[in-house]
Amino acid sequence: MSDKIVLHDYWRSSSSYRVRIALNHLGLPYEARPVDLLAGEQRSGEHLAANPQGLVPVLEIDGLRLTQSLAIIEYLDETRNAGFLPAAPAAKARARVLAEAIAMEIQPVCNLRVARHAVSLGGSATIEGWMAHFIALGLQGLEGLISNGPETAFCHGDKPGIADFCLVPQVYSARRWGVDLAAFPRLSAISARAEALPAVVAAHPDRVRPQG
């Protein structure tokens, strides 16, 4: 069995971005195999054999092929004693709530293929307007969830975890689509602290974007 870790990802994918952050936090070297979503490589026979959903990321590790970013992060947490989630059930539930508020509420409706389909149906909608509306709406709810808890350095506690790994890519996406982050001071402050961490810096899309 190969000990090599392989990550099939797309440089701008929020889900892939989360997994890169988690791998970097653990100091786990990996081979990156880009899957160009714009070129349709996710629908190739080779990629569908790795993930029949035709999505990224796919992580090859420990003789497994894992998909779905939150499942991957929790696997890394449980097998590497990473501390990405708290141990106490109530705290763990809150960390998951914050992560899932992004990964299961904001991102799916703001997936580019969803936005493109919505715009293709006609009317006055634009991709830019769709993205900005739903990202801002989602961040408004997340800001409220964060504000209902204690003021901490990161989303849940004083060290980065699964929710922060989701927040950073979502803030990146918000900036990309012109969302005014001034309305979300808690989230902005937390994201800024997380973005300064070396593991997060190394995972930034501009750092991993394929050249040429």
Side-chain angles (χ1 to χ4, degrees):
M1 181 187 301
S2 174
D3 292 331
K4 181 169 66 175
I5 300 172
V6 178
L7 177 64
H8 305 256
D9 78 346
Y10 177 63
W11 65 282
R12 226 173 200 169
S13 156
S14 293
S15 299
S16 298
Y17 194 171
R18 296 170 198 147
V19 173
R20 293 197 301 267
I21 293 171
L23 290 169
N24 291 347
H25 265 288
L26 289 170
L28 293 175
Y30 62 90
E31 176 188 329
R33 294 187 185 171
V35 179
D36 189 339
L37 302 185
L38 298 184
E41 291 180 359
Q42 71 276 21
R43 295 188 294 274
S44 70
E46 181 182 2
H47 188 72
L48 289 173
N51 182 359
Q53 286 187 290
L55 302 173
V56 292
V58 178
L59 183 68
E60 298 182 28
I61 188 171
D62 301 338
L64 304 170
R65 274 181 173 170
L66 303 177
T67 63
Q68 294 295 334
S69 62
L70 295 192
I72 291 170
I73 292 170
E74 292 212 24
Y75 176 83
L76 294 173
D77 179 62
E78 292 170 0
T79 59
R80 270 71 181 176
N81 194 29
F84 294 158
L85 287 96
K92 183 178 291 186
R94 182 173 187 267
R96 283 177 169 146
V97 164
L98 299 175
E100 292 175 10
I102 298 169
M104 298 185 183
E105 298 294 337
I106 303 175
Q107 184 194 350
V109 74
C110 293
N111 186 290
L112 193 56
R113 65 179 178 171
V114 173
R116 283 174 171 165
H117 179 69
V119 170
S120 75
L121 297 177
S124 60
T126 64
I127 289 180
E128 292 78 8
W130 177 279
M131 295 294 199
H133 172 78
F134 283 107
I135 291 173
L137 186 64
L139 291 180
Q140 181 181 10
L142 185 62
E143 179 82 7
L145 290 172
I146 290 286
S147 298
N148 284 343
E151 189 160 353
T152 53
F154 295 99
C155 285
H156 186 85
D158 292 319
K159 65 177 184 177
I162 190 170
D164 306 283
F165 301 168
C166 293
L167 176 63
V168 168
Q170 189 58 66
V171 168
Y172 168 85
S173 181
R175 293 186 182 118
R176 177 186 175 195
W177 296 107
V179 175
D180 183 3
L181 294 172
F184 317 111
R186 288 283 295 273
L187 295 177
S188 296
I190 291 168
S191 185
R193 281 189 285 271
E195 289 170 45
L197 299 172
V200 180
V201 171
H204 192 281
D206 291 344
R207 294 290 188 96
V208 302
R209 181 177 187 174
Q211 301 302 310

